[in-house]
Amino acid sequence: MNDARPEADRTPTSNPVLKRALIWGGVLAGVILVVGAILGYVLAGVPGLLGALVGTLMAVVFMGITAASILAANRFASSDLFVGAFFGIVLGGWILKFIVFIVLVVVLRDADWLNTTALFLSLVAGVLASLAVDVIVVAKSRLPYVSDVELPKAPTED
């Protein structure tokens, strides 16, 4: 593939969108953390508080792994192996999330020190909030339909 742009200018235009999604996802996760912790403590005591904290933390980690893996993969944009590296890194992030989720479900399944209902509800709230943030950030982003294309110069009158 022939690209007329200089090497330093090959960063994908999606990077600012992903960074914005990470920032807003973190802010919303903080809100879910505070609300979930208060509700968990009021309704189920300390186990409810801990369940909400662990559930929100899980949601933040899973959201962060996806966006961070894409941002990390985009660093290979100027490489000839970009496509393979991109999909390898992103797929590796998804496999990592799957393994971590299964391990956490098995480990936390019989934990007496946390309320599993509060954990579940805060995890679902975090996932739904993450999806909402992704949709809103992408919908409000101004990405061109044709990415990274330089149009020819307009003709000048001589």
Side-chain angles (χ1 to χ4, degrees), residues 44-108:
V46 174
L49 169 74
L50 295 174
L53 293 176
V54 170
T56 305
L57 180 66
M58 287 172 62
V60 168
V61 167
F62 295 146
M63 173 194 63
I65 288 174
T66 299
S69 68
I70 294 171
L71 284 171
N74 280 344
R75 292 178 180 249
F76 294 96
S78 61
S79 170
D80 291 337
L81 302 174
F82 173 62
V83 174
F86 181 86
F87 287 112
I89 291 170
V90 173
L91 180 61
W94 288 342
I95 291 170
L96 175 68
K97 283 195 321 187
F98 181 71
I99 292 169
V100 169
F101 181 77
I102 296 298
V103 167
L104 286 174
V105 166
V106 169
V107 169
L108 299 175

Side-chain angles (χ1 to χ4, degrees), residues 17-30 63 129 133-134 137:
V17 175
L18 290 167
K19 289 177 184 176
R20 203 170 321 123
L22 274 175
I23 291 168
W24 281 108
V27 168
L28 201 52
M63 173 194 63
V133 164
D134 290 346
V137 166

Side-chain angles (χ1 to χ4, degrees), residues 101-121:
F101 181 77
I102 296 298
V103 167
L104 286 174
V105 166
V106 169
V107 169
L108 299 175
R109 175 180 49 198
D110 298 323
D112 295 332
W113 52 273
L114 62 82
N115 183 301
T116 54
T117 303
L119 183 142
F120 174 75
L121 292 175

